[in-house]
Amino acid sequence: MSTTSDVYDVQIDALGGGAAELGQYRGKAVLIVNVASQCGLTPQYKGLERLHEQYAAQGFTVLGVPCNQFMGQEPGGAEEIAEFCSTTYGVTFPMTEKVDVNGPGRHPLYERLVRCADTEGHSGDVRWNFEKFLIGPDGTVAARFAPQTEPEAEELLAAVQRNLPSR
């Protein structure tokens, strides 16, 4: 399921401004998730934070990527998004700037990510908020999970564990 395109050289800004410096994650496993604050799947933030906390010491992080392309469910600016995530869900994992994940304005990060198919064979456009892409330590997409896949689902946990650099 892996693709050969390294995501660590893509330029994307952090939610609070400045470069997100994806290169800092080289050699680690990263779960990239397009997130939204006003979605029925927003409670997944809880599981994403637990996942981040559980595996951080083993070379893993969650990276949230706010997106407002699905029914306007992430309308806020950077400060509002950061405040909502930390206050409502205790999010400590890093977040990037708000980007488009589909269409002609698709961010270059997602240009690389959407080439990977999930276990049902879906590749291409992101289907909804909270679609998940697991990046292996070598910077390639190791797995893709549908938006409804809970962060602590058995198949996602198994994929994270297989891709931890300190295995």
Side-chain angles (χ1 to χ4, degrees), residues 31 51 118-120 132 134 142-163:
L31 187 68
L51 190 64
D118 64 17
T119 56
E120 286 132 25
K132 299 154 195 78
L134 180 62
R144 179 176 184 170
F145 299 93
Q148 297 79 10
T149 303
E150 289 290 331
E152 296 168 301
E154 187 176 311
E155 65 271 24
L156 197 151
L157 288 173
V160 167
Q161 291 166 356
R162 279 192 309 271
N163 283 277

Side-chain angles (χ1 to χ4, degrees), residues 17-42:
E21 303 292 344
L22 297 182
Q24 71 181 305
Y25 305 115
R26 193 175 305 282
K28 298 182 179 184
V30 181
L31 187 68
I32 300 176
V33 185
N34 63 303
V35 295
S37 301
Q38 298 177 12
C39 175
L41 299 177
T42 300

